[in-house]
Amino acid sequence: MGNNLLIINHPLIKRDLTYLRDKNTPSSLFRSILKRLTSLMAFEVTKDLATTTKEVETPLEVTEGHELKDEIVLVPILRAGLGMVDAFLEILPEARVGHIGLYRDEETLKPVDYYFKFPKNLDKSVVIILDPMLATGGSVCAAVSYLKERGAKKIKVVSLIAAPEGINKLTNEHPDVQIYIAVLDRQLNQKGFILPGLGDAGDRIFGTEN
Ligand code: PRP
């Protein structure tokens, strides 16, 4: 696996992943733990953001401060990516949010798009794509291609659980994209579900399993 994959290894992330994997975790708890786990990842994902200096006046004197150099655009892939937005907005309240609606056709496993809405100036922004699951990689690759067509140059992908097949596809098709995950799982099953995985994240967040 290439240099552009970072598996964020942290005891609190491992603990929270275990709650998310557990089939007995109800939607209410699943949502709050997904948010907490995303917060733990967000600190690492934002570690290399560039800053510029600016003066700040403390109550005592003027000193050097810092501000973020680039604008940030968060892009959740609907639906499951929505469960990761609030955690990022808490540490990046100035970020703007674009949305990509994609679902995976259950037969072909290919992504089908149904919604796009983005802020301007993607070319001058750091774009952070959010989706808890990276299975075949079809959805995230389609999202990255779409964003590049609209000018995005600096793109990060944040996912919780990935399958090797999806990581290979993403690193081959978009070697310039930095990928952050919490765990690399074993494999996909015939239906394209990640094993051991956590099931369908969208369904578990929104309670639409049945
Ligand atoms: C899931 C998941 C990803 C995609 C991953 O969404 O949230 O977007 O599948 O699969 P891939 O890597 O093989 O493309 P799903 O299609 O179930 O849509 P949903 O979020 O609306 O439930």
Side-chain angles (χ1 to χ4, degrees), residues 50-200:
T51 56
T52 52
T53 56
K54 68 166 193 180
E55 277 191 355
V56 58
E57 199 174 344
T58 79
L60 300 170
E61 61 180 40
V62 173
T63 186
E64 186 180 280
H66 304 270
E67 61 187 355
L68 293 182
K69 181 162 174 274
D70 297 309
E71 289 196 27
I72 312 291
V73 177
L74 306 173
V75 180
I77 299 181
L78 308 180
R79 294 174 298 164
L82 291 174
M84 302 173 74
V85 175
D86 285 351
F88 269 89
L89 282 177
E90 270 178 15
I91 62 164
L92 289 168
E94 62 276 75
R96 292 172 299 154
V97 184
H99 293 84
I100 295 187
L102 290 172
Y103 70 88
R104 215 169 52 154
D105 183 284
E106 285 179 11
E107 298 295 323
T108 65
L109 299 185
K110 300 275 182 252
V112 181
D113 57 78
Y114 60 90
Y115 188 75
F116 299 98
K117 185 78 180 176
F118 290 99
K120 292 194 180 108
N121 298 335
L122 285 179
D123 54 323
K124 297 190 188 73
S125 306
V126 175
V127 176
I128 305 178
I129 297 175
L130 306 174
D131 193 333
M133 312 300 288
L134 210 167
T136 66
S139 301
V140 79
C141 282
V144 171
S145 297
Y146 184 88
L147 288 161
K148 284 184 174 174
E149 280 165 24
R150 272 141 194 85
K153 292 187 175 63
K154 293 183 203 165
I155 302 178
K156 294 169 180 272
V157 167
V158 187
S159 194
L160 302 188
I161 299 191
E165 294 90 330
I167 295 291
N168 286 334
K169 182 175 167 68
L170 182 54
T171 51
N172 286 336
E173 291 185 16
H174 299 288
D176 53 314
V177 167
Q178 180 71 50
I179 310 161
Y180 302 84
I181 60 174
V183 69
L184 185 62
D185 268 10
R186 193 178 71 244
Q187 66 181 101
L188 294 179
N189 71 9
Q190 286 183 333
K191 289 183 165 179
F193 275 85
I194 300 173
L195 298 176
L198 50 73
D200 183 315

